[in-house]
Amino acid sequence: RGYEPVQTLEPGESTQVRSFVGHHFKIRGTCSDAITVHRELGDVVACDSSAPPLSESVPAQRMDPPPETTRLFLENQVDKVAEVFWIEPATKKPLKIETIPGYGSRTINTRLGHVLQVRGACAQALLVSEPDATELICAHAITEEDHKRRLLVQIADMAQALPVKFKNLCNRTVGVWQDRSGDRESMHQLKPGATYAINTRPGLRFCVALDEGGGGGAGCERPLAVFTITQGRYLYAYDPREKDEATELPEPEEPVGAADASVLAAWLEERRQAAAYFETTGR
């Protein structure tokens, strides 16, 4: 690697040199030394016999906090399968993390600052810059035919949609997951006594699992409860005091108890009101 003279300094003289992080300099003459520019370098004193050589100047190791975790909702806008890859920051290698069917959607756990790449249905790069954001996959690749098919799918989904509510009646934070033929999707996190209302379709399966870390927990691998959406049922609650004899579930790895008395009393009142409404309206 060649070097070019930059500056000649008389004894006691100083100067400023414009440079960039990573540039390497050699000092020759009164002394022999070398230095690589880094962000914490500051002023440099050359040929100081009372100080360590400049070649030993290295940046301090800083422990930057990890980026904030978040969830990202991805919605495929075309009738083709989209594959989602995470770009590993150090190696820049893609790692496949999700497959989204045509017109399908998924919620993934990620971190702010992560870079994602979409392949298959289209080519698209995504930067996770906001918490709990929604990204439309392949919107730039929509054709007129795609748009028409998308409308027909949305109309069919709306015709089948059922409003349902999930309730957490235990003393731990849980997550609600959708289980679709082994392709599981984390939907929402529920603290004790909290509810989650969505529109869904009959026949879809949901499970409840411990999720106190906010990262989805064990998901449907170790469910506390499993629900299949049925016509005419609006309320679905996880209550550790009730056992579903029709579904064999593993025992929780950690103790799970009932929510406090005020939560349980409010739930009984809500069920009473829902039953009265159904008896009046039939829905």
Side-chain angles (χ1 to χ4, degrees), residues 133-144:
T134 296
E135 290 284 356
L136 302 181
I137 299 296
C138 301
H140 65 283
I142 295 176
T143 65
E144 183 176 352

Side-chain angles (χ1 to χ4, degrees), residues 217-281:
C220 293
E221 297 297 331
R222 293 195 63 85
L224 299 171
V226 176
F227 301 113
T228 300
I229 305 302
T230 57
Q231 194 80 36
R233 182 179 177 185
Y234 171 60
L235 301 173
Y236 296 82
Y238 168 59
D239 187 340
R241 301 170 301 171
E242 299 178 359
K243 300 295 183 182
D244 185 356
E245 302 299 334
T247 306
E248 292 187 8
L249 299 176
E251 288 295 321
E253 293 181 332
E254 304 175 38
V256 179
D260 62 46
S262 61
V263 170
L264 299 178
W267 170 245
L268 291 176
E269 177 61 20
E270 185 174 359
R271 289 183 63 179
R272 186 193 66 78
Q273 293 180 8
Y277 179 82
F278 182 79
E279 186 175 338
T280 303
T281 63

